[in-house]
Amino acid sequence: MMEKLFFIFLILPYFSTGQFAQPTENYQNSRDLSPDLKLYWNNNDIEITFEIHFTNAQWVLFGLKSSDFSDIILGWLFSDGIGHFSDRHLLPNNTIVHDSDLNWIPLDAFTQNNITVLKFKRNIKLLCDVSTSDEDLDIVTGPMNVVFALGNEINRNDDSVVLSTVNEVQIEFLAQTNTPFSCPSKPVEPVLNSEPTANYQYELSLVAGVYKIYWNYTDTDVLIELHCKTNGWVGFGFSPNGGMDGSDVAIGWISNGQVNFTDRHIVGRQVLIDKNQDWKLLYFSESNGINVFKFTRKIKLCDSDDLTIEQGSPYIIFAYGDQDPSFGADISYHGMNRGGKVVSFISSPPVKDTFVPDDLEILDATISHVILPKLDTFYYCKGFEVPKEFSQKRHIYKWELVFPKINAKRIHHTLIYECKRDFNISKGFQPGYCYKDENKMQNCQSIAFAWAYGGNNIDIYPRDMGYPIGGDTDYLYYIFEIHYDNPQMTLAYIESITWRYYMTRNLRPKELGIFTLGTDSSAYSIAIPPGVDRFPIKTYCFNECIKDLNEENITIVSAIPHTHLVGVEVWTKIIRKGNDIGYLFYNRNYDFNYQTSYTLNPYVNITAHDELITQCVYKTTSRDQFVFGGESTRDEMCFHFLTYYPRKPNFKVCGNVPFIDDYVALLIKLNQSGSAQVPNLGDSMETLNAAVEQTFQTIQINDFVRKTFKEFYNMTRMTGFCGEKLTGPKNQTKARNTYIEPDLCAVSNDNQNGIFQFVNMIFNWILASIAEWIKSIFY
C-alpha cells in the first residue's frame, strides 16, 4: 500500500497542470523537464528537431551548456497569436545575448488548452568552419548538460525577460550510429565568369550562373548586352503578357566564328524573321562556352512586327538552346531553358551611385524574431523614435531594405509611417497588429517610404535631393509596418528585417516628401464583380487639396502604383483648369509580383490649378466571387505613392470614397431588381455595415450586376479627404477634353511623307527646268 501511495505522490506533480498537447509528429525521444515543461526530439545524421510543450508560464528558455556559456533559444506566444523566437547565448552571470546568426530555426508555434507548443530544428554540427565559438555549441554523443527556465515577465518593446533561476539536467540526445554525424553540405552557387564590354547602369541575372543581361537607355533607344553560358542559340525579347505569342524577340548564335543574329516575332509558336531588322547587332563573342551579344533598338518601333517598350513593368522573355542549328536549319525547341520576368526596363532608378559623404551616418530600424498569427495575411507594426541626439536635421540620401534569410518571399510590402509631431509613441503603443491600435490609426498615417514585392530594395536619391529626419522635421516618431502574406497559413516568422537609412548633415537643396493618392480599402470603395475583363475604379484629388500651393508648384520625381492580385493597370492624370493635359504616370502593364519605384522622365510639375485623377483597372475573370477592398492580398487596394519636392508638411494624402447616400441607393437598386436581398439599412454605420455584408452573401452574379457596379463607380458622387479634412460630396471631375497621346509613328510617317513630297517637288522642278532649257535650245 505504501509503495502505491509513494508512486502516486511521485507522479502527481506531472499531472497537476493537466494533459500536455499531442506532439505534432511521432517522436522517438521525450523527457519531462518539469511538471510544466516537456521535451520531444528526433534526429538524423545532420539535423535534430525539438518540440517543447510548456504551461503556467509566458516564456521558455532551453539550450545546451558549456563551461563558458549556454547556446539557447528563447520563445513565447501571446494569446493574440503574436510571439517571439530567438537564437541567443546565456552568459554565466545569467545575461542573455542575441546571437549574430539564426541557427535554431522555428518550425511551428501554437497554443492548445493552455499549453504552448514551440517546434524548432538545428544542425547537429554548427562549428563546421570554425574550431570554437562564443555563441554556438555542437550537439555530441553522450550525455550533455541542458539548461531550461520558465517565466512570466516580458518587455514587448525590447524582447527582454526577467530571468531568476536556470535549471540544469543531463540528456543524451544522439543515439549511436554506424556513420558519423556530419556538417550539412553547402550549395554551390553557379557563377557566370564574364564581364560586360561597357559600363551599364542596369543589370539583371535571369538564370543564376547561366544568363545575365546588362542595359542602358536614353529617351529613344535601349542598349542591351546579354551573356549566356550555352553551346547553342540565345533568345531575348519583350512580350505583351509573359507568353510567347505576340512577342518581339532577337535570336542569335555563333558557329565557327560566324554570327547569325535576327530580329523576329512570334505567332503562336512560330518564330518568324521580321521584314525590317530593327534590332542592330553591335558586338558578339564566344569564349569559354559563354555567348555575348550586344545590340540596340528603338524604344518605339513603327513596325507591326515589333513592340514598344512601355514605361511601367513590361514582360521580358528569354530562352536558349543546347546546340547551334545545323547549317541551313533554324533553332530547335528550348525545352526548359526558358523563362520570363516583369522588369521596369526603362524607368527604374539606377542603384550604382557610389557617392559616400564624409559625414555618413547610418540608422537602422529593425523588426526581428517575431512569430505572427497563422492567418493568410497579417499587418505587423513596431514604433521607433527619431534619436534624441538628432537635434540637427539630416537628409536621408539613400535607403536600403535588408531582408530576412528565411521567409523573405512572404513579405508582401513594407511601409514607414510618420507620426504627428505632438504624438509620443512610447505612451500606449506596443508592437503588434497594426489596425487595432487607435494611436497608430489616428496619429501615424503619413507614408514616408514604401517597398512592395518585386521592387528594388535600394533607393538612391539624385544628389540634389534628400528626405529629412531630425531637427525641426515634422515628425519625432515613425511606424515600421510589414504586410506578411501567408496563404498556406503555416508558421509565420520574421527572422530580421531592417529599414536602413544612409544620412548626411550637409542638407541638399531639394527636400523630399511623399504624397499618397487613392481610396479607402473597404467594400464601399472597392467592390468588383467576378468575371470582368476590365473593371476601372477612379479616385480623385480635388483642387481643394491642391490649391493651397498658391504659386509654388511641386515637382513629382517618382511614382509607385499599388494594387493587389487582380490589378492590371494604374494611371494618374492631371486636370489643369478643367483641361486634361495628360498622364502623370501610366503603368499599362501593372504586375502584382513586380512593384517598384518609377523615376519620371521628365519630372512632372503640379500647380495650384490642378486636380488629379487616379484610375486602377482590375481583371476578375479568374474569380467566382466579388473582390472587395481590404488588407489581404486576395482583397484589393488602389494607391499611387508620389515622391515630390519641395516637401510641404500638410501635403501628404489625398483621395476619396463613394458618397454614402449613393451607396445606399445602389443597395436599394439591387434589392428592387431581385439581384440581392437587402435588409433594413437602419440609421447607423453599424446597421449599414451589417446590411452590406448580408447583401453580398445573397447577391447574384450576372451581367446586370456587373453593369450596375460599373455604372455606380463611374457616376457616384465622392466624399474627399485631404489629410484629416473632409470635402464634398462632389461630382466626379469631367475634363473638357480627353487627352490623346501623340502617335509618334503617325508623326514619323507624316515627316516621311513631307520629305517625300519635298523631294518629289524638287525632282519635278528639275525636270521642268530641263524641259524649259531644251525648249529654249531647239525652239
Side-chain angles (χ1 to χ4, degrees):
M1 180 68 178
M2 290 297 296
E3 291 177 352
K4 289 183 179 179
L5 287 174
F6 178 76
F7 177 72
I8 292 172
F9 175 80
L10 185 67
I11 67 171
L12 185 60
Y14 292 90
F15 288 92
S16 62
T17 58
Q19 182 74 31
F20 282 111
Q22 286 294 318
T24 61
E25 61 178 90
N26 293 322
Y27 288 95
Q28 299 299 312
N29 311 282
S30 65
R31 178 75 175 265
D32 292 313
L33 299 180
S34 81
D36 296 324
L37 179 60
K38 185 160 187 173
L39 173 69
Y40 301 87
W41 74 93
N42 278 333
N43 70 275
N44 55 31
D45 291 340
I46 295 176
E47 289 183 338
I48 185 167
T49 299
F50 294 103
E51 186 168 312
I52 286 178
H53 295 212
F54 68 96
T55 188
N56 292 330
Q58 287 280 351
W59 57 262
V60 63
L61 178 153
F62 167 81
L64 314 172
K65 183 181 180 183
S66 72
S67 58
D68 299 321
F69 67 95
S70 297
D71 181 4
I72 65 167
I73 64 95
L74 184 66
W76 58 80
L77 193 65
F78 294 116
S79 59
D80 60 4
I82 297 173
H84 174 94
F85 181 93
S86 57
D87 182 355
R88 308 197 193 191
H89 54 285
L90 177 69
L91 302 180
N93 62 0
N94 279 0
T95 300
I96 302 174
V97 183
H98 279 283
D99 280 13
S100 55
D101 290 307
L102 181 73
N103 293 307
W104 302 67
I105 309 299
L107 301 175
D108 204 355
F110 60 91
T111 300
Q112 186 178 58
N113 298 327
N114 295 320
I115 306 294
T116 301
V117 177
L118 295 179
K119 182 178 181 179
F120 47 95
K121 69 176 183 179
R122 54 157 283 172
N123 290 327
I124 292 172
K125 288 183 173 291
L126 293 178
L127 309 183
C128 295
D129 299 320
V130 295
S131 57
T132 60
S133 169
D134 56 6
E135 294 183 349
D136 300 309
L137 297 172
D138 282 343
I139 298 177
V140 298
T141 56
M144 294 194 71
N145 293 322
V146 173
V147 293
F148 63 92
L150 297 171
N152 286 297
E153 295 185 52
I154 300 171
N155 185 327
R156 294 186 72 163
N157 289 310
D158 64 6
D159 295 331
S160 63
V161 300
V162 176
L163 177 62
S164 56
T165 302
V166 179
N167 304 290
E168 295 186 30
V169 68
Q170 282 198 332
I171 300 178
E172 185 171 1
F173 289 115
L174 303 179
Q176 296 289 342
T177 63
N178 295 325
T179 58
F181 296 101
S182 58
C183 291
S185 59
K186 293 184 178 180
V188 178
E189 295 292 334
V191 177
L192 190 62
N193 292 315
S194 63
E195 295 295 329
T197 63
N199 293 322
Y200 292 91
Q201 285 188 305
Y202 309 94
E203 60 184 63
L204 179 65
S205 177
L206 297 175
V207 180
V210 177
Y211 200 131
K212 190 171 185 176
I213 59 170
Y214 306 84
W215 75 96
N216 289 328
Y217 68 87
T218 66
D219 290 343
T220 57
D221 298 81
V222 292
L223 174 66
I224 303 170
E225 184 172 318
L226 65 83
H227 294 220
C228 185
K229 184 186 294 184
T230 180
N231 293 318
W233 58 269
V234 181
F236 174 84
F238 298 93
S239 166
N241 52 23
M244 290 178 60
D245 189 27
S247 296
D248 178 9
V249 299
I251 304 291
W253 67 86
I254 303 167
S255 181
N256 299 321
Q258 299 297 311
V259 66
N260 186 302
F261 184 88
T262 50
D263 176 7
R264 305 192 182 200
H265 62 283
I266 301 177
V267 179
R269 291 189 175 274
Q270 293 182 296
V271 186
L272 307 175
I273 297 176
D274 287 9
K275 180 179 179 181
N276 299 317
Q277 292 293 297
D278 298 305
W279 300 60
K280 308 296 184 182
L281 183 66
L282 303 177
Y283 171 84
F284 68 93
S285 70
E286 185 177 31
S287 178
N288 299 321
I290 298 175
N291 289 269
V292 177
F293 294 94
K294 181 178 181 179
F295 48 92
T296 185
R297 60 154 282 179
K298 297 290 183 185
I299 290 175
K300 187 172 185 67
L301 291 167
C302 303
D303 185 332
S304 60
D305 292 337
D306 295 303
L307 295 177
T308 294
I309 304 173
E310 300 279 4
Q311 277 197 331
S313 309
Y315 285 93
I316 63 171
I317 60 172
F318 62 92
Y320 56 96
D322 294 325
Q323 59 186 15
D324 293 334
S326 57
F327 181 76
D330 205 353
I331 60 174
S332 56
Y333 179 56
H334 49 62
M336 298 302 293
N337 300 331
R338 52 98 176 107
K341 191 173 181 65
V342 180
V343 179
S344 175
F345 210 77
I346 61 169
S347 55
S348 55
V351 292
K352 289 190 173 183
D353 191 332
T354 57
F355 168 76
V356 178
D358 295 335
D359 62 342
L360 168 66
E361 294 178 283
I362 295 176
L363 177 65
D364 284 351
T366 299
I367 294 175
S368 60
H369 312 119
V370 180
I371 296 171
L372 301 179
K374 291 181 181 178
L375 301 172
D376 70 340
T377 198
F378 192 80
Y379 286 76
Y380 182 84
C381 282
K382 184 177 180 179
F384 295 85
E385 182 179 7
V386 176
K388 286 185 170 61
E389 58 268 27
F390 281 22
S391 57
Q392 179 184 347
K393 183 190 287 187
R394 278 84 164 155
H395 269 176
I396 298 168
Y397 69 90
K398 169 184 173 182
W399 61 256
E400 178 181 9
L401 198 58
V402 184
F403 290 102
K405 295 177 182 177
I406 58 176
N407 296 337
K409 290 185 177 180
R410 294 188 183 175
I411 307 296
H412 169 269
H413 73 250
T414 66
L415 296 170
I416 297 292
Y417 291 93
E418 300 168 1
C419 300
K420 296 176 183 176
R421 190 174 175 87
D422 60 356
F423 172 66
N424 188 338
I425 203 170
S426 62
K427 296 180 180 179
F429 182 89
Q430 283 193 328
Y433 178 56
C434 296
Y435 296 104
K436 76 172 183 180
D437 195 299
E438 289 301 320
N439 284 324
K440 190 265 184 189
M441 297 297 292
Q442 294 176 6
N443 297 289
C444 308
Q445 284 296 293
S446 298
I447 293 173
F449 303 100
W451 173 91
Y453 186 84
N456 294 324
N457 69 313
I458 297 176
D459 197 5
I460 302 175
Y461 298 129
R463 293 196 182 185
D464 59 347
M465 301 180 194
Y467 198 94
I469 186 171
D472 62 354
T473 305
D474 55 345
Y475 66 97
L476 296 174
Y477 299 88
Y478 57 95
I479 300 285
F480 187 170
E481 174 185 289
I482 296 174
H483 177 187
Y484 193 95
D485 191 35
N486 187 19
Q488 288 78 33
M489 290 190 284
T490 55
L491 176 72
Y493 179 70
I494 300 172
E495 170 202 356
S496 179
I497 183 169
T498 297
W499 210 298
R500 178 167 294 160
Y501 308 115
Y502 297 79
M503 302 168 294
T504 176
R505 299 188 191 195
N506 293 316
L507 302 184
R508 297 177 168 194
K510 298 172 182 175
E511 192 162 275
L512 297 172
I514 301 292
F515 192 42
T516 300
L517 307 176
T519 189
D520 177 50
S521 300
S522 69
Y524 296 99
S525 298
I526 302 176
I528 312 164
V532 180
D533 187 66
R534 182 179 176 83
F535 193 95
I537 292 180
K538 290 184 175 70
T539 71
Y540 297 83
C541 182
F542 295 118
N543 184 253
E544 285 91 334
C545 197
I546 299 177
K547 65 182 180 181
D548 292 340
L549 289 175
N550 296 321
E551 298 305 317
E552 186 179 19
N553 299 344
I554 65 167
T555 301
I556 310 298
V557 176
S558 63
I560 304 177
H562 180 69
T563 76
H564 285 176
L565 289 170
V566 299
V568 295
E569 178 182 298
V570 181
W571 55 250
T572 292
K573 271 188 174 183
I574 303 171
I575 309 300
R576 181 163 296 164
K577 295 182 178 180
N579 295 312
D580 181 351
I581 66 168
Y583 296 104
L584 186 154
F585 180 73
Y586 194 163
N587 190 340
R588 293 177 175 83
N589 304 285
Y590 178 84
D591 188 288
F592 166 80
N593 294 305
Y594 191 83
Q595 301 179 59
T596 192
S597 176
Y598 300 98
T599 301
L600 303 188
N601 183 23
Y603 299 156
V604 177
N605 286 331
I606 302 298
T607 77
H609 307 290
D610 295 345
E611 296 189 9
L612 302 176
I613 304 175
T614 297
Q615 176 172 282
C616 298
V617 178
Y618 306 93
K619 182 177 181 178
T620 59
T621 52
S622 62
R623 299 293 184 94
D624 58 6
Q625 299 292 328
F626 264 77
V627 179
F628 301 110
E631 300 172 8
S632 169
T633 306
R634 267 63 61 192
D635 298 328
E636 268 306 330
M637 292 184 173
C638 180
F639 290 111
H640 218 161
F641 305 118
L642 307 177
T643 302
Y644 74 94
Y645 70 84
R647 178 186 177 93
K648 295 183 176 298
N650 297 320
F651 205 68
K652 295 189 175 184
V653 60
C654 184
N656 50 52
V657 296
F659 183 42
I660 195 68
D661 288 3
D662 292 350
Y663 201 90
V664 168
L666 168 68
L667 298 180
I668 293 172
K669 182 176 181 179
L670 292 171
N671 188 62
Q672 291 175 343
S673 68
S675 300
Q677 298 176 17
V678 181
N680 182 12
L681 299 176
D683 55 3
S684 68
M685 284 304 300
E686 288 76 14
T687 56
L688 179 60
N689 289 335
V692 169
E693 182 177 352
Q694 184 172 334
T695 298
F696 284 107
Q697 289 174 353
T698 61
I699 197 166
Q700 300 175 18
I701 307 299
N702 53 47
D703 288 341
F704 172 80
V705 169
R706 295 184 182 97
K707 180 182 177 183
T708 299
F709 273 87
K710 186 172 287 190
E711 289 176 346
F712 167 74
Y713 284 111
N714 191 46
M715 298 301 295
T716 180
R717 291 167 291 175
M718 295 293 189
T719 300
F721 50 86
C722 178
E724 297 180 356
K725 181 176 67 177
L726 294 179
T727 62
K730 288 177 62 71
N731 292 325
Q732 297 186 34
T733 300
K734 305 296 182 184
R736 299 189 187 99
N737 64 309
T738 299
Y739 174 78
I740 300 176
E741 292 184 294
D743 188 341
L744 299 180
C745 290
V747 171
S748 176
N749 291 333
D750 289 344
N751 290 339
Q752 291 176 7
N753 291 335
I755 292 171
F756 176 79
Q757 291 171 3
F758 177 75
V759 170
N760 190 51
M761 181 182 69
I762 296 297
F763 181 71
N764 290 334
W765 177 80
I766 292 172
L767 287 179
S769 298
I770 292 173
E772 287 296 325
W773 176 71
I774 293 174
K775 184 177 180 181
S776 66
I777 293 176
F778 293 101
Y779 299 99

